[in-house]
Amino acid sequence: MPTRKSIDSEPLKSIKPSGKKDESFFEQVFEVVRLIPKGRVTSYGAIAAALGTKLSARMVGWAMNASHLTKPKVPAHRVVNRNGLLSGKMHFRYPEQMQELLEKEGVRVVDDKVQDFDKRFWDPAKELLL
């Protein structure tokens, strides 16, 4: 049975859609993404919902775009859109890198789409008991 991780489940008080980095939100997103097991994927919307900000999927995407230089490392390749598409691939060093990283973890990708998405999908709200 999954156990609650170190995530603060209280919804964020304010999220600014300005596109500017909101440290608290980005750090919460990074913490969730670091918990995604190898060989599994989740979506921007699932992360936003788990953080109590269901309408903030776009901001989760901004966080993923900003995650590549973050320490400890954030496995941004494990975050795809709600249909399993590698919609963030253009934010990696080269377009094929996201697929390569997923395939190294045993995730099959065809035409930029995760195969067996329903079996690979990791729902942070359920897995972290939020």
Side-chain angles (χ1 to χ4, degrees):
M1 174 138 214
T3 59
R4 180 174 155 74
K5 302 288 183 185
S6 64
I7 228 159
D8 180 15
S9 63
E10 193 169 315
L12 298 173
K13 301 290 186 235
S14 67
I15 296 178
K16 299 177 180 129
S18 65
K20 294 186 179 178
K21 189 172 180 181
D22 180 340
E23 292 292 329
S24 62
F25 181 77
F26 278 34
E27 286 304 319
Q28 288 182 32
V29 170
F30 297 160
E31 190 173 346
V32 170
V33 175
R34 287 181 186 117
L35 297 172
I36 303 169
K38 287 182 180 180
R40 304 288 299 277
V41 295
T42 195
S43 68
Y44 305 102
I47 293 169
L51 293 175
T53 59
K54 191 174 182 179
L55 300 177
S56 299
R58 185 175 304 267
M59 284 193 66
V60 171
W62 292 337
M64 292 298 88
N65 296 345
S67 71
H68 297 288
L69 300 176
T70 304
K71 302 261 187 213
K73 186 179 173 184
V74 176
H77 63 283
R78 296 181 190 149
V79 183
V80 297
N81 82 3
R82 64 189 170 111
N83 298 312
L85 292 173
L86 309 188
S87 57
K89 74 179 191 172
M90 71 288 276
H91 298 286
F92 286 79
R93 282 194 185 126
Y94 51 94
E96 300 81 18
Q97 186 181 28
M98 185 177 187
Q99 179 172 338
E100 289 172 4
L101 291 168
L102 287 168
E103 289 175 341
K104 282 182 183 177
E105 295 182 1
V107 177
R108 188 165 172 256
V109 177
V110 176
D111 294 327
D112 293 331
K113 185 173 182 176
V114 172
Q115 302 301 291
D116 298 321
F117 179 63
D118 56 331
K119 293 177 184 173
R120 297 278 180 182
F121 184 74
W122 183 81
D123 186 344
K126 290 179 183 175
E127 299 293 335
L128 302 175
L129 300 175
L130 300 178

